Amino acid sequence: LLRKESPTPPSAAVIAVSKPILTVALILLFIYLTLGVVTYTSIPNQFSGTKTNVIVDSLYFSIVTLATVGYGDIAPSTTKSKVLTMVLIIIGFFSLEYLLNRVVTHLLDLQEKAVMACIKTPLIVEEGRIKTKWKMCFAILALVLCVIVAALFLYRYEKLDLVDSVYLSLVSVATVGYGDKAFETLVGRVFAVCWILASSVSVTSFFYYFAETRIGGSVMHESKAENGKAEFILLKLLEAEKISEDDIKQVLEEYERSG
């Protein structure tokens, strides 16, 4: 049992146990990318399009597929490659659901806690939470930064003109992927592998906060209030030595498995 004079805050225990969410996400991403690399590298000649490095191209193709961008610069060209790509798409569909829904929500909670630790002005913070309109502003800022960073990169390394650089960046963020422009160099595809993942998180965050703004945040705030009550109750139970950290972790692990 925990000593009465130094209990661990329940919120800390929740964050500690939430780590499996990120672990599972990384495992899913690793499995998906491994499958994508094996699929592409085993039959590279059965994929049409611009080629650079076989490993980089396979990762690039996998990420573009996962993010549903679909530039079309690399595409399956035979029955075998199309069947394997369909399997990759199905696995990616379910992986993306976990990565975006659970992981992004978890990361946004951690992000809000970090911002709260640095900013406490009433202009931004209200009732212990960042105001919804400010969260929306931060999400828009993240999207704008994603577009700017990619546009500058495309202008510098892919040698596109300014309009085409912004165009490809915005098309990618919106996951439209017309296919008239794409990342064609080795360094460009290495950048795209990381950037597309980051921009997908930013887009998901934007829509998450947009939904919260549209409904006035009532459901979210109610949920947060309930979480606050739960943490308070857990803290009191810990102080009274009625439960231990292990008890909390066991319940939370069971919750994660049931989810």
Side-chain angles (χ1 to χ4, degrees), residues 62-257:
S62 301
I63 291 298
V64 167
T65 302
L66 178 67
T68 69
V69 178
Y71 294 119
D73 54 338
I74 297 179
S77 57
T78 66
T79 299
K80 182 178 180 180
S81 61
K82 289 176 181 178
V83 170
L84 291 174
T85 299
M86 285 190 288
V87 174
L88 189 67
I89 290 172
I90 293 171
I91 294 175
F93 178 81
F94 290 104
S95 299
L96 189 66
E97 188 279 333
Y98 187 95
L99 289 170
L100 293 185
N101 288 346
R102 296 199 179 192
V103 175
V104 171
T105 301
H106 176 62
L107 290 177
L108 289 178
D109 286 339
L110 294 181
Q111 172 186 294
E112 185 170 3
K113 288 182 174 67
V115 173
M116 288 285 296
C118 302
I119 303 175
K120 298 181 179 180
T121 172
L123 179 64
I124 299 177
V125 178
E126 183 179 41
E127 297 179 356
R129 309 300 304 181
I130 297 176
K131 293 181 179 179
T132 303
K133 64 179 181 180
W134 282 105
K135 289 191 285 188
M136 188 66 180
C137 290
F138 294 149
I140 293 174
L141 177 61
L143 278 178
V144 172
L145 287 175
C146 280
V147 172
I148 291 175
V149 168
L152 292 175
F153 178 90
L154 290 165
Y155 182 79
R156 173 67 176 82
Y157 293 99
E158 292 284 331
K159 306 303 180 182
L160 299 179
D161 61 38
L162 185 58
V163 173
D164 283 343
S165 296
V166 176
Y167 168 76
L168 177 54
S169 178
L170 190 58
V171 164
S172 301
V173 167
T175 69
V176 178
Y178 292 115
D180 54 337
K181 300 292 180 182
F183 294 85
E184 297 182 352
T185 66
L186 177 63
V187 65
R189 288 182 175 178
V190 171
F191 170 81
V193 167
C194 302
W195 177 76
I196 289 174
L197 285 174
S199 63
S200 296
V201 172
S202 297
V203 170
T204 305
S205 302
F206 169 79
F207 283 112
Y208 178 88
Y209 289 139
F210 180 76
E212 184 175 345
T213 302
R214 290 295 299 272
I215 65 176
S218 57
V219 175
M220 277 73 168
H221 286 306
E222 182 179 348
S223 175
K224 297 296 184 181
E226 291 300 321
N227 288 339
K229 292 177 183 178
E231 289 188 4
F232 178 78
I233 293 171
L234 286 175
L235 179 60
K236 291 303 180 182
L237 289 173
L238 284 169
E239 290 177 347
E241 297 185 354
K242 299 295 184 181
I243 60 174
S244 67
E245 274 189 343
D246 290 337
D247 296 327
I248 297 175
K249 290 180 180 180
Q250 183 177 354
V251 172
L252 288 172
E253 287 171 356
E254 184 177 346
Y255 170 77
E256 290 296 334
R257 288 195 297 270

Side-chain angles (χ1 to χ4, degrees), residues 44-65:
N45 294 330
Q46 296 187 36
F47 287 85
S48 62
T50 306
K51 307 293 178 65
T52 58
N53 174 275
V54 65
I55 299 298
V56 172
D57 288 346
S58 61
L59 287 171
Y60 171 74
F61 173 74
S62 301
I63 291 298
V64 167
T65 302

